[in-house]
Amino acid sequence: EPEVTQTPSHQVTQMGQEVILRCVPISNHLYFYWYRQILGQKVEFLVSFYNNEISEKSEIFDDQFSVERPDGSNFTLKIRSTKLEDSAMYFCASSERQLAKNIQYFGAGTRLSVL
Amino acid sequence: AQTVTQSQPEMSVQEAETVTLSCTYDTSENNYYLFWYKQPPSRQMILVIRQEAYKQQNATENRFSVNFQKAAKSFSLKISDSQLGDTAMYFCAFMGNTNAGKSTFGDGTTLTVKP
């Protein structure tokens, strides 16, 4: 069964550094998403992406964050100048179509630890 | 804005028994989609079941079923014949029909199945 792949599974970085979280969505999917889950808290929407541009972003997704689809397969989340409070699990998801009858498939997540 | 409320932070059930997890939501939309996700200790997000709001019939997936009460904006998950592998965090999520595929999650319910 096709799946969303996220790398690395765990990323440790120093405060102030930049990190890039990588995702390979399911190959025929067109819509891509990033969510964040701070330990012990709910999953929060960050951004959705379609046709090489952001469709919607949350208040969390400020100028510190950016997304990119650099080639035909990868979908990346860049966090500039990381802060301690950026420590969280980051989930990538993809769907074939925007409407929910096409399910969002989640990756296994990248645990980001900012020291 | 949509909100999702899970009023039970923790639940426990004996193996082979039935348990119901509660979820309520608030929205002004008429067409939308509701989901239950399972998050085991590995922290992967696994879709358990989904419900389309325009469908009267409650969704069922093997041992998992929902009680969808649209007027009450309630969407509970029933797990029958509970198994030890059902131990996980369960999230209720809402997706509107008009936004860019963004899902809004509840705070989650930690379910422990006891042998």
Side-chain angles (χ1 to χ4, degrees), chain A residues 86-101:
Chain A
D86 294 326
S87 294
M89 196 78 162
Y90 288 82
F91 291 100
C92 174
S94 70
S95 66
E96 186 178 352
R97 294 196 302 185
Q98 179 175 322
L99 295 179
K101 54 188 172 182

Side-chain angles (χ1 to χ4, degrees), chain A residues 32-34 45-50 53-57 67 75, chain B residues 100-102:
Chain A
F32 314 113
Y33 312 86
W34 283 102
F45 169 79
L46 291 178
V47 65
S48 59
F49 190 87
Y50 168 71
E53 61 183 25
I54 291 173
S55 304
E56 185 175 352
K57 60 183 180 180
V67 289
F75 178 53
Chain B
K102 161 189 168 183

Side-chain angles (χ1 to χ4, degrees), chain A residues 7-22 79 81-84 86-90 109-115:
Chain A
T7 55
S9 58
H10 189 192
Q11 175 83 50
V12 181
T13 190
Q14 294 292 324
M15 189 171 57
Q17 296 296 306
E18 175 182 288
V19 294
I20 297 176
L21 309 183
R22 302 181 190 280
I79 308 174
S81 188
T82 50
K83 299 174 280 193
L84 295 178
D86 294 326
S87 294
M89 196 78 162
Y90 288 82
T110 292
R111 183 188 303 271
L112 176 64
S113 298
V114 182
L115 305 178

Side-chain angles (χ1 to χ4, degrees), chain B residues 66-80:
Chain B
V66 299
N67 183 6
F68 173 49
Q69 302 287 330
K70 190 173 183 179
K73 294 180 180 166
S74 171
F75 182 61
S76 61
L77 173 70
K78 185 171 83 170
I79 306 174
S80 304

